[in-house]
Amino acid sequence: MSTFRNRSVVLAAATTAVLALALTACDGDSTGTKSAGPASDAATAAASAEASQPATDAKADGSAQNTGATKTGTSKTGTSDGSTRTGGDTSDSYAYKHPCKSGDLSVRVYPREGSATQHVIEVNNVGANSCGLSYFPQVSLGAAKASDHSGDVRPAVPGGLGGAPAYPVKPKTAAIAVIDLNPKGGEGVTWINEMNVLADGDHMANADTQNFELGPAVKVLDPKLGLYESTVAAAVDSMKQAATS
């Protein structure tokens, strides 16, 4: 009986020891998991905050740089473009006091549609300001290769001129004159093959004269030149008022 009791006590003690060890192991795992969990979450949060912070700063820096460039660019470009487009004076009063310069003009000469003897002289203002021209262009007709142009033919122009001190031309508009090389359609001279045009004979030097080739079949007789006008039709009417000598 005593032997059995001793064995029971030993087994009970052993069982108790085993249970104690098991509980200790469980408590250790549980404590380890709890301490590791918050540490892992904290590290993840810190890493996330650290990664997001530079991205936010970079975005802020980028935004600041973009805003500055946009403001600077818009200011400079807007001012430059604005002064170019709207900086000029387009009034007639300004044109009366400022004769056109040859560098601000583009001159064209071409046959008038529907006429065999008339040509259009178109003077375009390509400058930024209005400018003033003489009442009509200075025109002579001659031979391109002639060494002496004293015999060149000059057209008749309207008389009795007066009024404004100049013909005003606004930027990007044209002053138009029409010349009829042979108003009566008679047998004219055939040696003339060039038209010489000075846009403003009152203020420009002869060196600013431009030369335009005429066709080989041109016959010139008592040519007539009108005043500068804003349309071809008005220029034709003005040309008809020129008195031939």
Side-chain angles (χ1 to χ4, degrees):
M1 292 292 293
S2 61
T3 301
F4 180 77
R5 182 178 297 173
N6 290 337
R7 287 180 179 178
S8 297
V9 171
V10 171
L11 287 176
T15 300
T16 301
V18 170
L19 289 174
L21 288 173
L23 288 174
T24 302
C26 290
D27 289 342
D29 290 344
S30 176
T31 303
T33 300
K34 288 181 180 179
S35 64
S40 176
D41 291 344
T44 302
S48 176
E50 183 179 358
S52 63
Q53 184 63 31
T56 302
D57 293 341
K59 182 178 180 181
D61 291 343
S63 299
Q65 292 173 359
N66 290 340
T67 301
T70 300
K71 287 182 179 178
T72 303
T74 301
S75 175
K76 289 181 179 178
T77 303
T79 301
S80 175
D81 289 349
S83 63
T84 299
R85 290 195 299 266
T86 62
D89 194 318
T90 61
S91 65
D92 288 352
S93 59
Y94 184 89
Y96 295 150
K97 298 177 181 178
H98 295 81
C100 295
K101 298 179 180 179
S102 59
D104 291 331
L105 302 177
S106 173
V107 182
R108 296 178 58 209
V109 172
Y110 52 91
R112 179 188 167 228
E113 185 177 356
S115 174
T117 61
Q118 297 176 9
H119 283 67
V120 177
I121 301 172
E122 181 182 297
V123 180
N124 291 275
N125 182 355
V126 296
N129 304 305
S130 290
C131 61
L133 291 170
S134 52
Y135 290 150
F136 52 86
Q138 179 177 296
V139 177
S140 65
L141 305 164
K145 296 183 179 180
S147 58
D148 180 8
H149 288 275
S150 61
D152 286 2
V153 176
R154 293 184 180 275
V157 296
L161 304 179
Y167 181 84
V169 191
K170 297 181 184 298
K172 297 184 179 180
T173 60
I176 298 173
V178 169
I179 184 172
D180 196 330
L181 303 179
N182 193 342
K184 298 177 181 178
E187 291 296 326
V189 297
T190 58
W191 55 268
I192 293 176
N193 60 9
E194 183 179 68
M195 183 186 303
N196 310 301
V197 179
L198 183 60
D200 188 334
D202 293 341
H203 301 96
M204 293 181 180
N206 288 331
D208 293 323
T209 299
Q210 298 188 39
N211 313 110
F212 299 89
E213 182 180 355
L214 297 174
V218 168
K219 295 180 179 181
V220 177
L221 178 65
D222 297 330
K224 300 171 68 172
L225 172 68
L227 306 180
Y228 280 129
E229 301 286 353
S230 59
T231 66
V232 173
V236 170
D237 290 340
S238 175
M239 175 270 297
K240 291 179 180 179
Q241 304 303 314
T244 57
S245 55

